[in-house]
Amino acid sequence: MTDKGKQVDTSETPDPQSAFGAVMPVIADLLERGTRAFALGDWDDAIDNFGELSSITEQTFGSESQRYADCLVMYGRALLQHAIEQNALLAQKTLAEAATGTLNKDESEDEHEQPSKANIQFEGEPDFRQVDDEVQDSGVDNEEEEDDDFAAAWNVLDVARVIQEKATDKKSQLKFAETLMLLGDVSMESENFAQAVNDFSSALGVKQQYLADGDRELAEIYYKVALAHEYNQENDKALELMSDVQRILNNRLQAIEGSNEAEDKDEYESLQEVLADVKAKIEEWKAPPQPVDVGAITGGDQLLADKAKEMLKLAMESGKINDITNLVKPKSKKRDGENKPKDEDSEAKRVKNDAA
């Protein structure tokens, strides 16, 4: 009651605590559903839930909040994975069409005029099989849609980057570095290798401030920077960075050598394999490009179909044709007429130590 004996009317005054309490269960539900969908590879559902989660979080906590940035990263990652999967499925479909002889000649001619960014990944052995440029999808509409998917992922992640960059604590800065790495992955998949170099290098600069020199996570980002340089035809710089990868992994090897812990023993064996792969990759990058027999790829439609059938048969026998990884890996770039093998990003993932 007031001094005048009248009750204050609060019917039009919102209770911030009540509103906050009402929205938190909604946020928690969207987060749970989006996380579950992402884990199951249901990118469409993940995009819907994380997109709505981002919108509600912005309205609740503000457009400069770290919570909002975290939601944007989840949203952007789902957009990225959706774009990668669509690329892979398009390439797989086209490969199957070429193998069965259903690839239209006019489509085959058009694809040389409108090259697709589609790529397919056969995961398993370190050496990935690649799809020849001749059997990649040629649909202009699909290509434009793929560009839109990657552009959307880039834009969402870039907003998160701007927000996270302002935080100065270690946890926030490491999140900032992870967002930069995701932006680099988008650039690699979009074949914007110069931008990928910038993004990965920025992430490396942040992580160097907080991670020990023997941290495998640091080795991973060194490898990504090296890979971006190599795709950007900066071979000398790539080889220089690969030496850093070896140094960091060797430091980790020395740190756990002689340990009786089962986990350390397993890691020791894993590190030896990774180091062997890194050494092989260095030797590969040092070797000059091998000339391609142009006649072998311009012998007509029958030769193209035969090559596609052989590739499809090998993929089916391996049992990995539908094993699409969730890492970004770009379509092979051409250098001096050579199609580069597409196995590098799998090694980058192996460099990083998965949490037990």
Side-chain angles (χ1 to χ4, degrees):
M1 303 293 288
T2 64
D3 294 340
K4 295 182 179 180
K6 294 183 179 180
Q7 186 174 358
V8 177
D9 183 9
T10 59
S11 61
E12 297 182 0
T13 303
D15 183 358
Q17 291 299 325
S18 177
F20 182 80
V23 77
M24 288 308 293
V26 178
I27 289 177
D29 181 61
L30 288 170
L31 177 59
E32 181 183 358
R33 286 191 289 160
T35 302
R36 186 190 309 115
F38 191 94
L40 295 174
D42 187 349
W43 311 127
D44 288 327
D45 196 24
I47 288 170
D48 290 341
N49 285 287
F50 286 146
E52 186 176 352
L53 174 64
S54 299
S55 178
I56 294 177
T57 303
E58 180 186 18
Q59 296 174 27
T60 305
F61 298 101
S63 60
E64 296 295 321
S65 70
Q66 294 299 314
R67 286 176 182 248
Y68 177 47
D70 290 344
C71 295
L72 288 175
V73 170
M74 291 185 284
Y75 184 29
R77 185 183 284 114
L79 287 166
L80 174 58
Q81 295 304 324
H82 178 266
I84 293 171
E85 183 180 77
Q86 292 305 305
N87 281 355
L89 292 175
L90 279 171
Q92 183 174 328
K93 176 182 177 182
T94 307
L95 176 61
E97 289 176 347
T100 57
T102 59
L103 183 64
N104 187 284
K105 181 177 180 180
D106 293 336
E107 292 177 348
S108 179
E109 293 175 354
D110 290 343
E111 70 188 347
H112 294 284
E113 299 175 4
Q114 300 289 342
S116 171
K117 289 182 172 60
N119 68 343
I120 185 169
Q121 303 173 28
F122 301 109
E123 187 182 25
E125 298 298 326
D127 292 331
F128 283 51
R129 296 182 178 88
Q130 73 178 61
V131 179
D132 289 344
D133 287 344
E134 284 80 5
V135 295
Q136 290 179 353
D137 185 77
S138 61
V140 177
D141 291 340
N142 288 331
E143 191 174 322
E144 291 175 352
E145 182 177 351
E146 292 155 14
D147 289 342
D148 290 342
D149 288 341
F150 286 116
W154 172 271
N155 291 333
V156 169
L157 291 168
D158 196 48
V159 174
R161 175 193 64 80
V162 172
I163 299 171
Q164 292 173 331
E165 189 174 15
K166 299 174 183 178
T168 57
D169 61 286
K170 177 181 177 180
K171 182 179 180 180
S172 297
Q173 280 293 292
L174 288 176
K175 285 184 177 180
F176 171 52
E178 290 297 322
T179 301
L180 288 169
M181 291 178 67
L182 284 171
L183 285 166
D185 289 339
V186 176
S187 297
M188 288 291 283
E189 186 69 28
S190 303
E191 301 184 28
N192 188 352
F193 305 122
Q195 182 61 49
V197 168
N198 292 335
D199 294 326
F200 288 143
S201 297
S202 297
L204 174 60
V206 174
K207 291 199 173 190
Q208 283 177 317
Q209 301 177 42
Y210 300 102
L211 301 181
D213 197 51
D215 195 313
R216 290 179 67 169
E217 189 175 330
L218 194 60
E220 180 200 20
I221 183 59
Y222 263 110
Y223 185 89
K224 283 181 173 286
V225 180
L227 183 62
H229 277 291
E230 202 277 335
Y231 269 85
N232 203 38
Q233 302 189 30
E234 298 169 333
N235 193 259
D236 292 341
K237 184 62 177 178
L239 290 172
E240 178 184 334
L241 289 162
M242 289 293 278
S243 297
D244 289 314
V245 175
Q246 287 181 308
R247 172 180 54 78
I248 294 170
L249 295 178
N250 279 317
N251 287 344
R252 180 58 184 167
L253 262 181
Q254 294 175 7
I256 62 177
E257 188 174 11
S259 172
N260 293 323
E261 296 290 334
E263 291 183 1
D264 288 343
K265 290 181 179 179
D266 291 341
E267 184 182 355
Y268 190 86
E269 294 180 1
S270 173
L271 278 171
Q272 288 180 317
E273 294 178 0
V274 173
L275 277 166
D277 290 341
V278 170
K279 182 178 179 180
K281 184 57 59 182
I282 290 175
E283 293 303 316
E284 176 187 326
W285 289 358
K286 285 181 178 179
Q290 297 298 317
V292 176
D293 183 1
V294 178
I297 59 175
T298 58
D301 293 343
Q302 184 59 47
L303 179 59
L304 171 60
D306 291 342
K307 290 183 65 177
K309 288 177 182 178
E310 180 181 358
M311 292 172 62
L312 185 60
K313 179 182 178 182
L314 290 172
M316 288 179 171
E317 289 176 349
S318 71
K320 300 293 183 179
I321 191 167
N322 290 321
D323 189 2
I324 301 170
T325 66
N326 61 359
L327 280 178
V328 179
K329 183 161 61 60
K331 183 186 71 177
S332 299
K333 68 182 177 69
K334 292 183 179 179
R335 184 174 59 190
D336 298 331
E338 178 190 17
N339 284 331
K340 290 174 59 61
K342 303 171 64 176
D343 61 340
E344 288 93 340
D345 210 35
S346 64
E347 293 179 21
K349 190 63 178 179
R350 293 184 60 200
V351 170
K352 185 173 181 181
N353 186 21
D354 295 332

